[in-house]
């Protein structure tokens, strides 16, 4: 499968570098996360350049331009540990099933882009232990957009482009989104989607 392999993470602590590109150790999908394509859901690590994926910001479908993979040693870079989402943690059917993304992957929520790590509440959305080696798969499209990954809207690589939706920085609005997800916890427990 022709994929560009990136060298192991060297640990840039910034989500975005001075040239406007993301740190590939902190963004991306786990290989098993299923992405909606024109042919149905497919694991992220099975996608190749030319595959057609569903996109949310512009609507419709777009071809994948490039697929990259980054390997991160979490014992050396604990900040790269993934964020784990319970099924339905953000909204009904979002995500469709338990899933995980890199901590600074941008999640589309209510017309804004929010880093996954900003939504952590310790129960329905939490950080994984920083152990072992993690592989992240990054998708680059012709234009910045949101793919559907296990029912989550997750941004493609931006690579210096203008974001497809406005990013939501730290502050009251972002905290309100985190609280709204935390308020869903009793409902998820009652539905058996989250252990008590």
């Amino acid at each position: 499968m022709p994929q560009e392999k990136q060298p192991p993470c060297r640990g840039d602590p910034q989500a975005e570098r001075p040239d406007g590109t993301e740190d590939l150790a902190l963004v991306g999908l786990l290989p098993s996360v299923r992405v909606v394509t024109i042919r149905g859901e497919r694991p992220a690590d099975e996608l190749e350049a030319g595959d057609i994926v569903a996109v949310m910001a512009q609507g419709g479908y777009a071809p994948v331009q490039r697929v990259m993979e980054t390997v991160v040693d979490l014992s050396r870079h604990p900040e790269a540990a993934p964020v784990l989402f319970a099924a339905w943690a953000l909204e009904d059917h979002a995500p469709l099933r338990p899933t995980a993304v890199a901590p600074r992957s941008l999640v589309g929520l209510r017309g804004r882009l929010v880093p996954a790590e900003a939504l952590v509440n310790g129960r329905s959305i939490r950080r994984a232990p920083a152990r072992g080696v993690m592989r992240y798969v990054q998708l680059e499209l012709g234009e910045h957009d949101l793919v559907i990954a296990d029912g989550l809207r997750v941004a493609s690589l931006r690579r210096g482009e203008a974001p497809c939706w406005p990013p939501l920085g730290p502050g009251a609005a972002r905290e309100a989104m985190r609280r709204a997800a935390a308020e869903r916890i009793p409902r998820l427990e009652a539905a058996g989607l989250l252990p008590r």
Side-chain angles (χ1 to χ4, degrees):
M1 180 169 31
Q3 291 184 348
E4 295 189 22
K5 301 290 183 184
Q6 299 292 318
C9 164
R10 298 292 182 250
D12 180 350
Q14 302 301 312
E16 192 170 291
R17 296 177 168 140
D19 64 359
T21 62
E22 297 98 333
D23 182 344
L24 298 184
L26 299 173
V27 298
L29 306 171
L30 270 66
S32 60
V33 168
R34 300 181 69 80
V35 177
V36 175
T37 75
I38 202 163
R39 295 182 296 161
E41 287 187 312
R42 293 184 52 209
D45 68 346
E46 290 183 11
L47 295 176
E48 299 178 350
D51 283 336
I52 308 297
V53 295
V55 292
M56 296 296 297
Q58 299 189 37
Y61 293 89
V64 173
Q65 299 293 311
R66 187 163 54 158
V67 179
M68 292 173 284
E69 180 182 294
T70 303
V71 178
V72 188
D73 180 347
L74 296 180
S75 67
R76 292 178 55 210
H77 304 285
E79 73 281 4
V83 173
L84 309 175
F85 288 83
W88 294 33
L90 293 179
E91 301 169 324
D92 289 356
H93 309 291
L96 292 169
R97 59 188 71 91
T99 195
V101 299
R104 295 189 187 160
S105 294
L106 296 175
V107 175
L109 192 58
R110 300 183 193 131
R112 304 298 294 270
L113 297 175
V114 185
E117 65 187 357
L119 298 169
V120 169
N121 58 42
R123 284 285 285 129
S124 62
I125 305 169
R126 56 191 174 82
R127 290 300 288 264
R131 292 193 299 263
V133 173
M134 185 61 56
R135 282 195 311 141
Y136 290 125
V137 175
Q138 297 90 14
L139 303 178
E140 187 172 347
L141 309 179
E143 294 181 45
H144 190 245
D145 214 310
L146 296 161
V147 299
I148 305 167
D150 282 345
L152 283 181
R153 295 175 292 269
V154 180
S156 64
L157 284 179
R158 190 154 65 86
R159 314 308 280 163
E161 301 172 280
C164 61
W165 282 1
L168 187 59
R174 195 155 93 175
E175 177 59 20
M177 283 191 183
R178 191 194 65 73
R179 274 196 320 271
E183 288 167 2
R184 294 178 59 81
I185 291 171
R187 183 176 171 199
L188 300 180
E189 290 174 337
L193 296 171
L194 192 64
R196 291 180 187 263

